[in-house]
Amino acid sequence: MQTGTSGQAQQDCAVVIVGGGPCGLMLAIELGRRNIPTVVLDEKVQPSRFPSANATQARTMEHYRRLGFAEKVRARGLPPDYPTDIAYFTRFTTYELARFSLPSAREAREMVRTLTGSWSAAELPHRVSQIFVEDVLREEAAALPSVALRTGWRMTAMRDEGAHVAVEAERSDGDGHTTLRAAYAVGADGGGSRTRKMLGYNYVGESGAVRDFVGGRMFAIHIRSAPLYDTIPFPRAWMYWAVNRERRAFLPSVNGRDEFTFHTQLRADEQADRISDAQAKSMFHVSLGAELDVDIIGRSTWNAGYTLVTEKYRRGRIFLGGDAAHLFTPTGGLGYNTAVEDAVNLGWKLAAVLTGWGGPALLDSYEAERQALARRNTTYARGFADSVGLYVPPPELEDDTPEGEAARKKASEHFNYHARFEFNIPGITFGGRYDGSPIIVGDGTVPPPDKPNEYVPTACPGGRAPHLWLGDGRSIYDTFGFEFTLLRLGGKAPDAGPFETAARAQAVPMTVVDVAAEEARDLYQADLALIRPDQIVAWRGNATADAAHVLRQASGH
Ligand SMILES: Cc1cc2nc3c(=O)[nH]c(=O)nc-3n(C[C@H](O)[C@H](O)[C@H](O)COP(=O)(O)OP(=O)(O)OC[C@H]3O[C@@H](n4cnc5c(N)ncnc54)[C@H](O)[C@@H]3O)c2cc1C
């Protein structure tokens, strides 16, 4: 480590990110796109190939679009024409109980241009395994000149030394040690976060929810079987659920050809490390309702029943994001998506402060904004887990009798309702808000109520900029600048001059975009709207008199 002439230790980079999962990689991309020297440490030599997350929500896809790689992500995973239905069965080969049909990747691309209201968006969700998303994130991060990805390096200690943070790391094989000095460090090191523990922060919330399903210790196998689709006598689905009294399970398709993951809950008398491959296969056979030989590619265990958020997100120069800051039950598919949005939120703020135009309130606003969102999202996920997991299959559910038929009819009603409750969530994905944040300039209006399955577009400051497709076929988001954007909406918007002058004086990067369509003015209910780099409305209004004040507050001064 070199020492500068002033006696102050020089920095190796501006930001050290511990953890190269979705949160760490997305943060590296946000920083790298702004040319901020960034080092990502990940203890794994090779990325995990065990599929965990399966759903990329629409808002996450909109961020990937902003960064230019949404299409790359949408091309991964399932084949373009593969339906993304969620289907419920007693066993995968016996009775189908319920189905929620959703578009293939190809249909989603076209459909999004026709949707209004709750699904007025630039992107629809994409059902894709996390392993494929991480491949894209890794490629995107690695391509940025200011980002260094160091795999096989484990962070062992971190100290905030006042003027900088020192991060100790050792090679995962034990053969090497380094100390990195940076302006900031971010612990994106997952559920076991050493960073969080070092900061002395606890998760707060519920950790031991018990349910008939998705409430307890889960066991998963990643399997390969080409004939499985021929064995299941129902239309293809993206995610199959088995609902019976013997072995409940869910089975997402990984590649739409021959790879799946089978997740089931362990009973009190089952221990994952004592389960042989043969036993794991027979667990699968019980849920399948048939015998079919499969190859086991990998196995994993995880806990269902967490609703946890860390008590603090920051101490001095050290931040937490992703699973290090919150743990979900995966119902609703929100853990990785919330992790990505943490990175989006923190990325532009760190870059703004490092570049010089961001004020001190910017970094404080990270916790103010993201902790509330994590509490909201973990609570929604818990509600979905209750909805699916507290349902107890009645004894006659699988009987070939009138009573069995009646029980299946009731189950069908429950799961047809549940599927739409858990998997049609525009309100959650688009409706997250930062009301009360110190960097949001409120206008006294009240946003629509927060509902999981309904999103009401609103430019009430603190929420996602309402979306619309422009006459030339572009998404309004495609016109935004990379940092702040001042939208002039409709035909009578005042001159942007005072905002431009203030932005220049404060060195805040800002693009002015004219959207002449009156429809846009109606949607935003204002002549002007200031949009943050993360596409959140920072302010809206009809006059420019307060331009300097608005920009100062929005940039954290
Ligand atoms: C079965 C299952 C299904 C899921 N489904 C969904 C879903 O559909 N949608 C969804 O949004 N989420 C889902 N999730 C959750 C999702 O997988 C996680 O929320 C997501 O991986 C969190 O990303 P992260 O970057 O915060 O942490 P992680 O992905 O855990 O990454 C942390 C990284 O930090 C590294 N690391 C840890 N300690 C150190 C250290 N000391 N030094 C260096 N590196 C370190 C690790 O190697 C790892 O690469 C699911 C999870 C499971 C288990």
Side-chain angles (χ1 to χ4, degrees):
M1 181 53 48
Q2 301 153 321
T3 303
T5 46
S6 65
Q8 194 185 36
Q10 286 179 353
Q11 288 174 3
D12 300 281
C13 61
V15 182
V16 173
I17 300 169
V18 182
C23 182
L25 291 169
M26 187 68 168
L27 181 58
I29 294 167
E30 293 284 1
L31 293 169
R33 286 290 299 272
R34 296 172 167 96
N35 222 12
I36 302 293
T38 303
V39 173
V40 181
L41 301 173
D42 198 291
E43 64 184 358
K44 289 201 293 282
V45 179
Q46 294 295 332
S48 163
R49 296 318 286 174
F50 195 90
S52 38
N54 303 289
T56 297
Q57 302 298 352
R59 186 67 192 129
T60 305
M61 287 300 288
E62 287 183 341
H63 284 305
Y64 293 164
R65 180 187 183 101
R66 174 173 55 81
L67 294 161
F69 55 83
E71 276 304 305
K72 217 167 147 183
V73 172
R74 206 175 283 283
R76 305 278 167 117
L78 303 171
D81 289 321
Y82 193 96
T84 56
D85 298 10
I86 298 106
Y88 299 78
F89 309 86
T90 50
R91 307 193 189 221
F92 305 134
T93 54
T94 49
Y95 295 105
E96 178 169 319
L97 297 172
R99 181 175 289 259
F100 181 27
S101 294
L102 287 169
S104 68
R106 180 170 295 155
E107 287 162 344
R109 213 178 271 132
E110 288 152 20
M111 208 169 142
V112 70
R113 296 181 162 271
T114 66
L115 300 176
T116 53
S118 276
W119 280 108
S120 174
E123 296 284 341
L124 290 183
H126 183 49
R127 314 287 171 186
V128 56
S129 168
Q130 185 169 342
I131 49 179
F132 301 123
V133 178
E134 282 190 30
D135 287 344
V136 175
L137 294 177
R138 211 171 300 108
E139 285 161 26
E140 292 291 321
L144 294 163
S146 74
V147 174
L149 298 182
R150 296 207 193 153
T151 51
W153 283 91
R154 177 183 303 119
M155 179 277 288
T156 54
M158 221 187 254
R159 292 180 308 277
D160 186 338
E161 298 187 332
H164 61 252
V165 51
V167 178
E168 306 281 346
E170 64 182 20
R171 294 261 313 243
S172 300
D173 60 9
D175 191 17
H177 173 269
T178 189
T179 305
L180 294 170
R181 287 191 168 75
Y184 297 100
V186 181
D189 44 353
S193 175
R194 183 186 280 256
T195 311
R196 184 178 53 76
K197 289 173 191 155
M198 268 174 356
L199 294 175
Y201 295 154
N202 294 310
Y203 286 129
V204 178
E206 179 186 64
S207 59
V210 177
R211 303 183 186 95
D212 193 61
F213 193 53
V214 290
R217 191 84 179 134
M218 304 290 292
F219 174 69
I221 47 174
H222 180 190
I223 56 174
R224 181 174 292 119
S225 168
L228 182 55
Y229 284 119
D230 297 332
T231 310
I232 298 176
F234 300 106
R236 288 188 180 201
W238 153 66
M239 191 178 276
Y240 300 80
W241 291 75
V243 184
N244 59 68
R245 289 170 76 87
E246 208 180 348
R247 174 97 23 226
R248 293 181 70 167
F250 66 92
L251 179 88
S253 173
V254 174
N255 64 0
R257 293 190 309 274
D258 59 356
E259 284 185 39
F260 306 82
T261 37
F262 172 75
H263 300 259
T264 191
Q265 187 160 319
L266 295 173
R267 288 192 287 260
D269 61 343
E270 289 173 331
Q271 260 180 286
D273 54 2
R274 299 231 180 112
I275 297 172
S276 66
D277 279 0
Q279 285 165 326
K281 287 182 198 181
S282 54
M283 288 163 112
F284 168 66
H285 292 157
V286 174
S287 304
L288 180 66
E291 299 242 336
L292 174 73
D293 196 27
V294 297
D295 294 329
I296 297 183
I297 306 171
R299 47 160 75 202
S300 174
T301 51
W302 53 281
N303 283 316
Y306 289 145
T307 306
L308 294 174
V309 180
T310 181
E311 56 193 306
K312 300 286 294 168
Y313 273 54
R314 174 192 185 187
R315 177 175 291 163
R317 296 181 170 275
I318 303 174
F319 295 81
L320 294 170
D323 275 15
H326 37 70
L327 280 180
F328 288 70
T329 291
T331 35
L334 298 173
Y336 130 71
N337 289 280
T338 306
V340 165
E341 282 206 273
D342 289 346
V344 170
N345 188 288
L346 185 57
W348 71 269
K349 294 174 180 177
L350 278 175
V353 169
L354 286 161
T355 312
W357 59 266
L362 217 45
L363 296 183
D364 286 338
S365 74
Y366 171 63
E367 176 179 293
E369 295 184 347
R370 294 306 300 167
Q371 189 183 43
L373 246 288
R375 290 192 183 123
R376 165 193 188 259
N377 291 0
T378 51
T379 303
Y380 275 133
R382 184 184 185 285
F384 298 140
D386 282 349
S387 169
V388 68
L390 293 180
Y391 172 89
V392 179
E396 66 278 17
L397 185 68
E398 299 185 84
D399 292 353
D400 205 0
T401 58
E403 292 75 23
E405 206 168 304
R408 286 191 292 281
K409 191 163 174 287
K410 267 182 102 173
S412 163
E413 281 161 19
H414 175 77
F415 286 104
N416 270 315
Y417 165 81
H418 169 80
R420 284 147 184 88
F421 176 46
E422 182 184 342
F423 293 97
N424 179 35
I425 50 171
I428 297 184
T429 192
F430 300 136
R433 298 189 50 85
Y434 302 143
D435 296 314
S437 162
I439 61 165
I440 294 294
V441 189
D443 65 355
T445 57
V446 178
D450 187 12
K451 295 184 184 166
N453 306 113
E454 188 192 349
Y455 160 73
V456 178
T458 174
C460 171
R464 163 182 172 266
H467 180 267
L468 83 161
W469 293 99
L470 302 176
D472 60 7
R474 280 185 305 168
S475 154
I476 193 170
Y477 296 165
D478 298 343
T479 70
F480 290 3
F482 196 62
E483 303 293 359
F484 276 92
T485 302
L486 182 74
L487 290 177
R488 294 181 66 244
L489 300 151
K492 298 191 193 83
D495 188 75
F499 267 96
E500 289 176 301
T501 306
R504 259 195 310 277
Q506 296 174 35
V508 174
M510 189 190 78
T511 309
V512 178
V513 172
D514 289 346
V515 186
E518 286 306 323
E519 187 195 352
R521 207 256 163 230
D522 291 346
L523 183 64
Y524 280 72
Q525 295 278 299
D527 294 331
L528 298 167
L530 184 68
I531 313 298
R532 309 192 325 188
D534 52 359
Q535 299 179 337
I536 296 293
V537 180
W539 167 88
R540 72 174 163 181
N542 298 322
T544 53
D546 289 339
H549 162 76
V550 165
L551 273 173
R552 257 199 306 277
Q553 187 174 342
S555 60
H557 290 281

